[in-house]
Amino acid sequence: RTSAPVRVILLTAHGDRNYVERAFELGAHGYVLKGKMWTDLPEAIRQVTAGETYQSPLLERASSRQK
């Protein structure tokens, strides 16, 4: 009997880029900030169940500004 693979989405208050990078290194498939969970979590679930990764758009914008 085979079980479906586990897909992990972190729901956290930590938006620091180091936390995000480490979470994905350790196998997370999604990273959602608690302050945006009502808008971001449904999309994260859709993308992660489709085999993609997800991070809150707010994190992506902050990351691009820091580069």
Side-chain angles (χ1 to χ4, degrees), residues 17-66:
R17 193 168 90 187
N18 293 325
Y19 284 109
V20 177
E21 290 173 359
R22 187 69 177 140
F24 283 107
E25 287 171 5
L26 292 172
H29 299 94
Y31 198 97
V32 176
L33 293 174
K34 282 184 179 179
K36 301 296 289 176
M37 77 175 170
W38 299 116
T39 56
D40 293 357
L41 190 56
E43 182 60 24
I45 293 169
R46 277 190 286 279
Q47 287 189 22
V48 169
T49 56
E52 302 172 22
T53 59
Y54 181 89
Q55 65 176 300
S56 290
L58 183 63
L59 293 169
E60 292 175 358
R61 286 192 296 273
S63 179
S64 65
R65 283 195 304 265
Q66 291 177 350

